Amino acid sequence: MCITSTINIIYVVRHYISPDNNVFMMSTTSRTGDSQTNTSDNQSGQRYGLFDETYQLFLQTFTANFMLILEHQNNASLYCPSIPPNLQGPIIIHEPPENFSVLNTSPYYPEVQHGGRYHPKTCLARHKIAIIVPYRDRWDILRRFLFHTHRFLQRQQLDYRIYVCEQAFDKTFNKGIVMNSCFKEILNLEPNTICFIMHDVDLLLIDDRNMYTCPSYPRHLSVAIDKFDYYLPYPELVGGVLAMRREHYILVNGYSTNYWGWGGEDDDMHKRITNKHLILERPPASIARYKMLKHTHQKLNPSRMKVLRTAHIRIDSDGVNNVKYKLLNTSFHHLYTHFLIDVGEQKRH
Ligand code: UDP
Ligand code: BGC
Ligand code: MN
């Protein structure tokens, strides 16, 4: 298209400088649809019959191409800027005001649609993401997470939706089952979802330059957490906040469902990522910074190291392709969509 346009431009310019032709007179006549063809038109018609036809054809092509270029430019400018203009860098964490309620419609987030969905109103978001928050029995932490997280995601000009995936009943937590079932339920609800961010509820981002965009490869976002003095404790860690495309989540078969209680399921995920030869991306530790909210500790899983040693054997047979769970309830609150999940009875290893 570019080459054609260039040829057309050269043609029109040459035509314009030719003393016998008045391009703009001709084009004006045709634009106004004026039937009183003027003398110069008639004359040039007589003098350059075939030449004029070719010229008209070129002019039409030129106009059509020019319109296409304009349309393309208009569309391109509809997109939000690649660097959102209102990013703050380091963020101060504000406690939610007393009247901030998780369940009721929040006056603090008038632009969030019911179900915890948002998209920028003045431009087209470049990235659409689903945030999976595994959850059980940390109400105050969830409240603080929602108050904090909606704000910076909006500044990042993303099209996003927050899903809180709650394990039902007071039994040992199984993060793998919660994540996999949530992944499946999101796809039932919104089958076109392509990008996921698995996000611990107790992690609050403290630098909004750490963008929650859709990654090309799995991207570990929580590199520097205050609890670990802002250092990555070991290179294989992918726990905390992990962004993944749908196709990669399916390729690694999601999380293992064999870790009951604290620890191991994220180390198992790292094995899956490397086993499937995926690159693991990480933003620089200087911006991928988080505060971890204080919480009660889960029961440590005493067999996690044993299960981890044989993790590679189970990649294709244990995960999102055969996860067993019951979806007990789905509800839509202002600031999030809620799935209540029964993960079943604990299996001993
Ligand atoms: N989680 C939860 N309730 C629980 C256990 C875990 O909500 O009883 C979720 C929550 O999102 C939490 C994540 O699982 O941030 C990881 O668990 P935890 O914070 O206990 O792990 P740690 O930070 O100690 O590694
Ligand atoms: C556990 C992981 C945990 C990490 C950091 C490891 O020993 O297996 O599940 O994320 O420590 O706390
Ligand atoms: Mn935690």
Side-chain angles (χ1 to χ4, degrees):
M1 193 179 83
C2 244
I3 295 167
T4 325
S5 303
T6 314
I7 293 170
N8 287 340
I9 291 166
I10 293 168
Y11 179 82
V12 170
V13 170
R14 279 188 53 202
H15 209 71
Y16 178 55
I17 56 173
S18 156
D20 291 332
N21 283 290
N22 188 336
V23 169
F24 294 102
M25 280 232 337
M26 287 171 72
S27 64
T28 313
T29 315
S30 65
R31 240 193 298 136
T32 52
D34 202 342
S35 57
Q36 41 151 320
T37 337
N38 63 35
T39 0
S40 72
D41 218 0
N42 271 340
Q43 279 169 4
S44 52
Q46 282 157 11
R47 277 157 56 194
Y48 306 102
L50 183 64
F51 192 57
D52 264 357
E53 265 174 41
T54 321
Y55 164 70
Q56 289 282 0
L57 198 73
F58 265 117
L59 196 64
Q60 276 165 17
T61 321
F62 175 74
T63 315
N65 284 342
F66 188 64
M67 295 309 280
L68 268 177
I69 292 170
L70 272 188
E71 200 183 305
H72 178 76
Q73 280 178 346
N74 284 343
N75 278 343
S77 66
L78 279 181
Y79 280 106
C80 299
S82 40
I83 301 175
N86 296 327
L87 293 184
Q88 292 180 353
I91 322 174
I92 297 164
I93 295 174
H94 296 287
E95 285 302 311
E98 270 189 17
N99 66 349
F100 174 74
S101 155
V102 168
L103 292 176
N104 301 333
T105 303
S106 169
Y108 297 96
Y109 290 106
E111 297 200 321
V112 174
Q113 293 161 18
H114 216 68
R117 160 103 201 266
Y118 171 88
H119 62 90
K121 303 296 174 296
T122 53
C123 55
L124 205 60
R126 288 175 182 265
H127 300 265
K128 184 172 174 174
I129 51 165
I131 309 232
I132 298 184
V133 183
Y135 174 78
R136 198 214 19 217
D137 190 27
R138 291 186 182 176
W139 187 244
D140 186 52
I141 289 180
L142 177 63
R143 187 169 166 270
R144 291 158 79 189
F145 170 83
L146 289 170
F147 185 72
H148 181 78
T149 304
H150 273 291
R151 184 119 310 150
F152 77 76
L153 289 176
Q154 293 185 12
R155 275 204 301 278
Q156 293 190 348
Q157 295 188 311
L158 301 163
D159 181 335
Y160 69 85
R161 182 162 175 178
I162 297 184
Y163 296 87
V164 173
C165 309
E166 179 176 11
Q167 177 174 322
F169 314 122
D170 186 20
K171 293 190 220 151
T172 312
F173 201 66
N174 188 313
K175 198 168 165 185
I177 300 184
V178 172
M179 297 293 205
N180 291 344
S181 51
C182 199
F183 177 86
K184 289 181 77 169
E185 291 306 326
I186 291 172
L187 289 177
N188 281 341
L189 206 62
E190 288 214 35
N192 295 330
T193 311
I194 292 180
C195 314
F196 295 81
I197 298 188
M198 280 71 74
H199 205 305
D200 278 8
V201 72
D202 52 30
L203 288 176
L204 304 189
L205 180 67
I206 50 178
D207 193 315
D208 63 9
R209 289 171 296 179
N210 189 17
M211 293 291 295
Y212 279 33
T213 48
C214 191
S216 311
Y217 287 99
R219 190 193 292 157
H220 182 229
L221 292 171
S222 51
V223 181
I225 305 180
D226 60 350
K227 177 182 151 182
F228 300 124
D229 294 327
Y230 300 106
Y231 281 103
L232 189 69
Y234 54 99
E236 293 82 17
L237 183 69
V238 292
V241 186
L242 178 65
M244 256 174 129
R245 304 180 76 83
R246 178 177 64 199
E247 71 258 32
H248 291 155
Y249 194 89
I250 292 170
L251 178 71
V252 303
N253 199 14
Y255 280 87
S256 165
T257 60
N258 280 310
Y259 295 84
W260 296 85
W262 184 88
E265 81 294 328
D266 48 350
D267 303 319
D268 188 298
M269 172 53 97
H270 182 268
K271 285 185 178 242
R272 289 172 181 238
I273 290 170
T274 50
N275 188 281
K276 298 291 177 185
H277 307 291
L278 292 175
I279 295 164
L280 178 66
E281 296 177 350
R282 274 202 189 94
S286 54
I287 61 164
R289 291 162 70 85
Y290 289 80
K291 175 185 173 63
M292 188 186 281
L293 298 174
K294 299 238 171 333
H295 55 77
T296 50
H297 286 280
Q298 297 184 60
K299 208 171 73 195
L300 205 99
N301 175 3
S303 45
R304 67 185 197 287
M305 295 315 285
K306 193 180 110 201
V307 183
L308 195 57
R309 269 195 290 276
T310 52
H312 57 284
I313 299 169
R314 286 182 304 274
I315 295 176
D316 295 319
S317 59
D318 156 39
V320 71
N321 67 358
N322 66 346
V323 59
K324 292 189 181 44
Y325 67 97
K326 272 195 212 115
L327 177 67
L328 302 180
N329 192 41
T330 304
S331 48
F332 303 94
H333 302 286
H334 178 205
L335 298 180
Y336 64 99
T337 294
H338 179 219
F339 294 127
L340 186 63
I341 293 151
D342 178 0
V343 301
E345 288 306 313
Q346 177 172 356
K347 316 260 179 324
R348 301 273 160 210
H349 293 280

